[in-house]
Every structure is written in C-alpha cells, then in structure tokens.
Amino acid sequence: MAHRRTITGFSNPLVKFLRSLRDKKYRKREKRFLAEGLRLLTDARESGVVPEMLVMATGREPHPLLDALEAAVDAAGGEVVEMDQEILAKVTGKDNPQAVAGVFAEFDTRITQVDRSAAPIWLVAQALRDPGNLGTMLRTGDAVGAGGLILIDDCADPFSVEAVRASMGAIFTQKLAMARWDEFLPWLRSGPGQLVAASLRDPTDYRVAPYQAPCFLMVGNESQGLPEAYEQSCDLRVTIPMRGRADSLNAAVAGAVLAYEALARLGD
Amino acid sequence: MAHRRTITGFSNPLVKFLRSLRDKKYRKREKRFLAEGLRLLTDARESGVVPEMLVMATGREPHPLLDALEAAVDAAGGEVVEMDQEILAKVTGKDNPQAVAGVFAEFDTRITQVDRSAAPIWLVAQALRDPGNLGTMLRTGDAVGAGGLILIDDCADPFSVEAVRASMGAIFTQKLAMARWDEFLPWLRSGPGQLVAASLRDPTDYRVAPYQAPCFLMVGNESQGLPEAYEQSCDLRVTIPMRGRADSLNAAVAGAVLAYEALARLGD
C-alpha cells in the first residue's frame, strides 16, 4: 500500500481547502469539486472516474468498496489522505466512520465537446437555479439514455455538493456543457438536431409532437420558464397538459415527462 | 379597515410563535403551519383557503394582491398583524418589503376523509423523506388533476415550510392524507381502487400497463423504494425503463412519469 498522508489537526490547510470546495468561488479558482459518500464515489469509479484525492477516516472499519476506491486512486496516481473522524466530519458534515470524500478535477464543459451523434436525446436547461433540480435532470438523463445536459445562461453550479449529490452519480456519466444562448444556438444549427421547447404558450400536446433524433429537450427557469424569443427559435414547442389550478410543473419534472415521452418515441 | 395589531419588538411572543412553526414539534403541538410569500398566499386565497393570521410589513407599498389577502382575512374573521420589516425578515428569512406570511390551521389528514370517487388518479408515497419531493408530488398531483396525495408510514412533514413552498400552492388544492400501511390497505380494499406500485422488480412496462380509475400510483422511499411485501399487495407493478447505469429515478420524478402516463390513458 502506498504511503498515506494523515491529517490530525483541524487547522491543517488541507481541511480548509476541502471545506472551501463547498463555495462556488473557490471551486472556480481551484477547478476542483467535491463528491461525498461511498455510493457516489463508487458510482464514479464504476464509470471510470477516479478522484485526484480520496479522503477517509483513520480507524475506519474495512469495507470492500472503500478498498476498491483506494486501489483505483493508487492505480491512477492519485492521493489518499486519512484524517481523524471528527475532522472528516467537519469536511463532510457527516459524522460517520464510513464517511468518504473525493476531490475531482472539473470536467471540460465547452459546448464544442458535445458529440450530438452520441445519443438520440439531450436535455437542455436554461437559467435553472436550483442545484437539486439540476442534479435531478442529470439523473433523469442517465435514466433515459440521454447524452447529457446542456446548461444555458446563468444556471446553478453543477459542481456544487448539492447538485452532485442529487445527480446520484450521473454527473460522472452524463456529458455536461455550459453555454450562453448566443453560443448554443449557432452550435446547434451547425449540425443535425431538433430543438424542442417545453412551452406554456403552445398548444401542441407533448404526446403527439413529432420528435426527431438527435432531440434537444429544453426547459426554462423555475419561475419564468423560457424566454419567448428562445421558444421562437425552437423547431418545436410542446406543452404538457395542466389539469389543475397551477400553470407549471417543477422544471426537473417537466424535463423528465418530456424525456420519457421522447424515449418512448425515439428509443431503440 | 379592522384594527391592526402592530408588533415593534423582536422579543414579542408572537414573533417567537411564528418562528417556532418552522419546527415540526411546535407545528404538531399548535396544529398550525406557516406559508410564506405573496404568490403562495394568493394561491391559497384563490383556492378558498384563508390564513387564520396574516403577517405583513408596516410601511409596505400598496399591492392589490396584498389588499385582497387582507380583505379575505378580515372577511373570514382572521387576524392581520403588521410588524417592522426587520422583524418580519426574522420570521420569514427574507428581507423584502413585500414579504408576507400566513398561519394556517393544519388540515384533517385522516384517510377516511378521502373521497376516492372525486378523481381518477391519486398519488401515494411511502416513507418519502425529502420535503421538496413531497411538495413536488403535490404540485404534480394538481397538474394531472389527481385527487390528492396519500402519505404512507413515516414521511417528511407536508406542513414544513419547504414542502409547502415546493407544492407551489397545491397543498391548498390537493387532498392530503396520512396513514400507516396497515391502515391504508384495508381502507383501499373497502372500495374500488387499483393500487399500482412503481417497482424496480417487475417487468411490466409502465407504458403498456392496464390502468383503471380510481388509480392509486405509489412510489417508495428515496433510497429503498417500496418494501417488497407492499409491492406484492398491489394490483399492478409497473416499471419505468432505465437505460443508464443508475437503477432508479428521483421519487418525485418517478411519480410524475407514472402520473402523466395514467392521465394520458385515463384522462378525459
């Protein structure tokens, strides 16, 4: 087993560094993010993504999944750090001897990295503000076999602890891209691709709309929906029936209802 | 205009009472809950539900929806309280001159209050732990024209500020019931009703399953799904295809995908 750095003091700079990754400003500066929990890190490993640094408690009980993580980090030339359980609890907010955290390099999120031919369905979110919704959309994308999630304009940070957690590991399997609308639309029009807006204005029922692959399903901001000008640039505007008194669904729910309809029509 | 109580001190017992309603223990004791924000309170009013007490900032700008709320509370014999904006901010956590909060009596949530013939679709959640998911399911229920949400076993508190907010007003329009499984199942079997489980085990695709009204769509706990014994008591077990590496959807998303399928098949 490789040499292990062991942290025994709360004031160690590494503890401060790990805690700083809960803050978007520091994540941007360090180009690193934090994922926590054995299940999430195992999901990452099984998807071929290994943390640069793995942080575990000293004196933990042995666990085969922890052993597998350690071995993967060692094999990839990463660092394994052990710290007292109370210190690790300060990092993760969870006082649990199986607590574990990983530091990952942020992914390349340029829109030009997206290979649209890789999947029949892509999810697109515009000005999505809630990190839980963002992570849930990644999770849904994985479930429908989408290629990934494209974030338009100012969205929540997909590398926040909350978004990573809500993605249930899909942040490691779904392609993630971020672009301004003025950058996204020319990219989309530079190749095949049907852009579909979840609209509150258009009467085309989502159950009868003519979806075509690659199909980019776009939902808007939680409060505002999509700007009307954006909708007008879409190839198709579809509406989900609303039978109650409210006029909209949760954004991640709307994305999922459309994504499953598109899967039923375009899948296989 | 009726007499207004005005609160000018942070130490006023009413401030403490309002803040205590963020805590489940005090909500249970007082049988009251808090809803915040002009939109949410307007949704309540338009659904015919008026707070026992309305709390607004002194010196606020006039607003027609605030006026309508005041008038409704006065008409219903409720109380309108004004407080300094800084004190109201301490209650709501939002420093906003339009901040407004209402205190509501908790609803009767006995399962025996549910009239199953009132709607073709009902949502059921078992051991749902996240208040955001719970509120989102209420919101989805409203959208599909469901009758309400039935909470089985130990769920998040539907009267928490988070659940109420995520419901986007649907807590005031959807019937809400809470029951243990051993109470719910006999009630269900005492009348017509198809109990459908969102299952990870059964191969029946949710798109081809024979839904029948009144259809009770049940999803399980975020981590565990439904207990197998509960699934076996259902009339139908349906599965939502999973094309990625994950084995489940967010619980509120799974409920919504099923609910929209049931709406397409049973609606109108």
Side-chain angles (χ1 to χ4, degrees):
Chain A
M1 190 171 84
H3 174 72
R4 299 294 180 234
R5 179 148 59 132
T6 303
I7 308 291
T8 56
F10 283 98
S11 59
N12 188 288
L14 181 63
V15 175
K16 190 177 170 196
F17 166 74
L18 292 170
R19 286 174 58 86
S20 78
L21 293 181
R22 298 191 168 272
D23 182 326
K24 181 174 179 177
K25 184 175 68 177
Y26 291 99
R27 283 196 298 274
K28 293 299 124 193
R29 196 177 72 184
E30 303 289 342
K31 302 191 193 314
R32 298 289 178 279
F33 70 100
L34 205 59
E36 298 174 347
L38 186 55
R39 177 164 178 177
L40 198 51
L41 291 176
T42 298
D43 283 342
R45 179 179 60 75
E46 291 179 347
S47 305
V49 185
V50 173
E52 294 181 343
M53 181 186 289
L54 181 68
V55 186
M56 299 188 293
T58 48
R60 65 191 174 276
E61 293 289 309
H63 190 295
L65 289 176
L66 277 178
D67 293 346
L69 274 172
E70 267 195 274
V73 173
D74 280 337
E79 190 179 9
V80 177
V81 177
E82 300 185 330
M83 53 179 65
D84 294 349
Q85 192 182 324
E86 313 87 77
I87 303 176
L88 185 56
K90 199 179 162 193
V91 169
T92 63
K94 294 210 174 92
D95 194 8
N96 167 0
Q98 298 293 350
V100 57
V103 177
F104 293 84
E106 285 192 1
F107 313 132
D108 184 346
T109 57
R110 285 173 297 170
I111 186 75
T112 50
Q113 300 293 309
V114 171
D115 171 12
R116 70 185 75 200
S117 68
I121 299 171
W122 295 82
L123 299 183
V124 184
Q126 187 264 338
L128 195 74
R129 294 297 159 80
D130 183 85
N133 281 341
L134 198 162
T136 299
M137 287 194 72
L138 283 165
R139 184 179 182 183
T140 300
D142 173 86
V144 298
L149 175 64
I150 300 169
L151 300 172
I152 305 293
D153 300 341
D154 295 319
C155 288
D157 183 3
F159 299 111
S160 68
V161 172
E162 297 78 14
V164 169
R165 185 191 303 129
S167 86
M168 293 288 281
I171 190 144
F172 299 112
T173 60
Q174 289 283 289
K175 191 81 187 171
L176 186 66
M178 296 195 248
R180 308 298 307 180
W181 176 251
D182 290 346
E183 182 189 3
F184 168 71
L185 195 62
W187 171 83
L188 182 84
R189 296 309 182 202
S190 71
Q194 180 192 46
L195 186 56
V196 180
S199 174
L200 306 176
R201 302 178 184 93
D202 197 277
T204 303
D205 189 295
Y206 81 109
R207 297 278 293 199
V208 300
Y211 302 99
Q212 290 182 327
C215 181
F216 292 78
L217 299 168
M218 182 164 65
V219 301
N221 170 263
E222 286 91 345
S223 311
Q224 310 296 324
L226 288 168
E228 188 161 5
Y230 290 21
E231 286 192 12
Q232 292 309 318
S233 299
C234 289
D235 301 300
L236 192 59
R237 288 156 290 280
V238 300
T239 190
I240 299 174
M242 302 294 299
R243 297 298 170 87
R245 63 169 307 288
D247 60 359
S248 68
L249 291 166
N250 166 281
V253 163
V257 170
L258 291 188
Y260 267 97
E261 183 62 26
L263 173 63
R265 309 273 290 287
L266 299 175
D268 302 317
Chain B
M1 190 171 82
H3 174 72
R4 298 295 179 233
R5 179 146 60 131
T6 303
I7 307 291
T8 56
F10 282 98
S11 58
N12 188 287
L14 180 64
V15 175
K16 191 179 170 195
F17 166 74
L18 292 170
R19 285 174 58 85
S20 79
L21 293 180
R22 299 190 166 273
D23 183 327
K24 181 174 178 176
K25 184 175 67 178
Y26 291 99
R27 283 196 299 273
K28 293 299 124 192
R29 196 178 72 185
E30 303 289 343
K31 301 193 193 312
R32 298 290 177 278
F33 70 100
L34 204 60
E36 299 173 347
L38 185 55
R39 179 166 176 174
L40 198 51
L41 291 177
T42 298
D43 283 343
R45 179 179 59 77
E46 292 179 347
S47 305
V49 185
V50 174
E52 293 181 344
M53 180 186 291
L54 180 68
V55 187
M56 299 188 293
T58 48
R60 64 191 176 278
E61 293 289 309
H63 190 295
L65 290 175
L66 278 178
D67 293 347
L69 274 172
E70 267 195 273
V73 172
D74 280 338
E79 188 179 12
V80 177
V81 177
E82 300 185 330
M83 53 179 68
D84 294 348
Q85 191 181 324
E86 314 86 77
I87 303 176
L88 185 55
K90 198 179 163 192
V91 169
T92 64
K94 293 213 173 92
D95 193 9
N96 168 0
Q98 299 293 351
V100 57
V103 177
F104 294 83
E106 285 193 0
F107 314 131
D108 184 345
T109 57
R110 284 174 297 171
I111 187 76
T112 49
Q113 300 294 307
V114 171
D115 171 13
R116 69 185 77 199
S117 68
I121 299 171
W122 295 82
L123 299 184
V124 184
Q126 185 264 338
L128 194 74
R129 296 295 161 82
D130 183 86
N133 281 341
L134 198 162
T136 299
M137 287 193 73
L138 284 165
R139 183 180 182 184
T140 299
D142 173 86
V144 299
L149 175 64
I150 299 168
L151 300 173
I152 305 293
D153 299 340
D154 295 318
C155 288
D157 183 3
F159 299 111
S160 68
V161 172
E162 299 76 14
V164 170
R165 185 191 302 128
S167 85
M168 293 290 280
I171 190 144
F172 300 111
T173 59
Q174 289 284 288
K175 190 82 186 170
L176 186 64
M178 298 195 248
R180 310 297 308 180
W181 176 250
D182 289 345
E183 180 187 6
F184 168 72
L185 195 61
W187 172 83
L188 182 83
R189 296 307 182 203
S190 71
Q194 179 191 46
L195 186 56
V196 179
S199 173
L200 305 175
R201 302 179 183 92
D202 197 276
T204 303
D205 190 296
Y206 80 109
R207 297 277 293 198
V208 301
Y211 302 100
Q212 290 182 326
C215 181
F216 292 77
L217 299 168
M218 180 165 65
V219 300
N221 170 264
E222 287 90 344
S223 310
Q224 312 295 326
L226 289 168
E228 189 162 5
Y230 290 20
E231 285 192 13
Q232 291 310 318
S233 299
C234 289
D235 301 300
L236 192 60
R237 288 155 290 280
V238 299
T239 189
I240 300 174
M242 303 295 298
R243 297 298 170 88
R245 63 169 305 288
D247 60 359
S248 68
L249 290 166
N250 167 280
V253 163
V257 169
L258 291 189
Y260 267 98
E261 184 62 27
L263 173 63
R265 308 272 290 286
L266 299 175
D268 301 317

